[in-house]
Amino acid sequence: MNIDIDTQNLIETVTELSVTYGVKILLALAVFIIGQKIAKWVSKLCLKAMELKKIDPTINQFTKNIVYYSLYTMVVIAALGQLGVQTASFVAIIGAAGLAVGFALQGSLANFASGVLLILFRPIKVGDYVEVAGTSGTVKEISIFSTILLTPDNKTVISSNSAVMGGNIINYSTEKTRRVDLVVGVSYSSDLALVKSELEAIAQSDDRILKDKDWTIGVSELADSSVNFVFRVWVNTPDYWAVYFYLNEAVKTNFDKKGIEIPFPQMDVHLDKQAA
């Protein structure tokens, strides 16, 4: 008789626990599955909205991931709450663990923070020709931890984002126009008026040189063996190097035709004959 009573009590207890915790487990699973789908839907919606506004692809993916994982974390905490887990203590544990991991990964976190700043403030973007972390090249990719550059001789350079943000950033692609600066040296016997007129003619001869911006031609220095002229013209940024090379060649060619001497360093050696 006692066995039957104990068995009956056990069955009632198991049934009660099954009903109580079964409902909680079902609710937790429902919260997790539905919440995860909502997180994916919201993150994809954010991505489509940013793509419609033609925001930089790097920012799009970064924002999508941040939105998804933030919502996913909230869903997990909500599901655990349905199981009766004290979420406040759980969040505290996560915070403590995150702090410990943060101390262990200070360098990576610095790169991550710099990546966030690069994406938010956009001092550089994909396709820009820049000089960062001691390297010049075209920005190929900006990720969360590193920036990838492609150099003019087709080398791939990967720089940490902390190194990029920790130094000077020179972006050659930000402005639509750039100034080409040359220093042209001529001999002291040269006709300075003729030199200036020839430089003017060179500037007029190339359509890539912007005529609506004043160029500068003038004597900048009376050097040891030459009179130095500054020759500065404005061009559209994509034409910079082509015009730079053209001007150097044109100066040499035109000056040779006009007999204008471009001096080079010379040394005079005087020998004194000593009496025997």
Side-chain angles (χ1 to χ4, degrees):
M1 188 68 176
N2 291 334
I3 295 176
D4 292 337
I5 294 174
D6 292 341
T7 302
Q8 185 177 357
N9 291 336
L10 179 61
I11 292 173
E12 291 177 356
T13 303
V14 171
T15 302
E16 184 180 352
L17 290 174
S18 298
V19 171
T20 302
Y21 287 100
V23 171
K24 289 184 177 181
I25 291 172
L26 289 175
L27 286 174
L29 287 174
V31 168
F32 179 76
I33 294 171
I34 296 173
Q36 188 180 32
K37 289 183 178 180
I38 292 175
K40 288 182 179 179
W41 178 76
V42 172
S43 61
K44 288 180 180 179
L45 186 64
C46 290
L47 178 62
K48 289 181 180 179
M50 289 185 291
E51 287 176 346
L52 288 175
K53 292 184 178 181
K54 297 181 179 180
I55 298 175
D56 190 271
T58 305
I59 300 177
N60 295 350
Q61 291 297 326
F62 174 76
T63 305
K64 176 191 172 185
N65 292 336
I66 289 294
V67 170
Y68 174 74
Y69 286 113
S70 298
L71 293 175
Y72 183 81
T73 302
M74 295 172 62
V75 168
V76 171
I77 293 174
L80 291 173
Q82 292 296 325
L83 291 174
V85 177
Q86 295 295 325
T87 55
S89 59
F90 183 72
V91 171
I93 292 172
I94 292 178
L99 185 62
V101 172
F103 280 114
L105 301 174
Q106 291 184 32
S108 298
L109 289 177
N111 289 328
F112 174 79
S114 298
V116 171
L117 294 176
L118 284 172
I119 291 170
L120 289 179
F121 295 104
R122 300 179 67 190
I124 60 176
K125 62 181 184 295
V126 175
D128 286 351
Y129 187 81
V130 300
E131 183 178 337
V132 294
T135 303
S136 298
T138 303
V139 180
K140 184 178 180 181
E141 180 183 345
I142 303 173
S143 65
I144 297 301
F145 295 102
S146 62
T147 297
I148 301 175
L149 302 182
L150 190 64
T151 63
D153 56 348
N154 211 33
K155 292 185 292 188
T156 298
V157 179
I158 302 174
S159 300
S160 63
N161 286 335
S162 59
V164 173
M165 288 297 294
N168 293 329
I169 298 176
I170 303 175
N171 192 332
Y172 296 101
S173 302
T174 302
E175 302 297 330
K176 294 182 179 179
T177 59
R178 286 184 63 188
R179 192 180 71 185
V180 181
D181 291 1
L182 294 181
V183 176
V184 180
V186 297
S187 66
Y188 273 88
S189 60
S190 299
D191 183 344
L192 299 187
L194 177 61
V195 174
K196 293 183 70 174
S197 66
E198 284 303 309
L199 293 177
E200 288 272 359
I202 292 172
Q204 290 283 2
S205 66
D206 195 329
D207 292 335
R208 293 170 298 183
I209 295 174
L210 301 178
K211 305 302 187 293
D212 58 340
K213 286 181 174 285
D214 293 335
W215 50 66
T216 301
I217 299 173
V219 177
S220 63
E221 182 184 12
L222 301 177
D224 292 338
S225 58
S226 64
V227 178
N228 292 338
F229 280 79
V230 290
F231 185 24
R232 299 169 180 168
V233 298
W234 289 89
V235 298
N236 291 319
T237 298
D239 295 330
Y240 178 86
W241 286 110
V243 173
Y244 177 86
F245 296 136
Y246 164 78
L247 290 180
N248 277 286
E249 181 178 349
V251 166
K252 178 66 169 68
T253 303
N254 286 29
F255 280 17
D256 286 347
K257 290 179 181 179
K258 296 296 182 178
I260 301 173
E261 181 184 356
I262 300 177
F264 51 87
Q266 301 181 38
M267 179 181 294
D268 293 333
V269 179
H270 300 276
L271 298 177
D272 291 336
K273 184 177 180 180
Q274 299 291 333

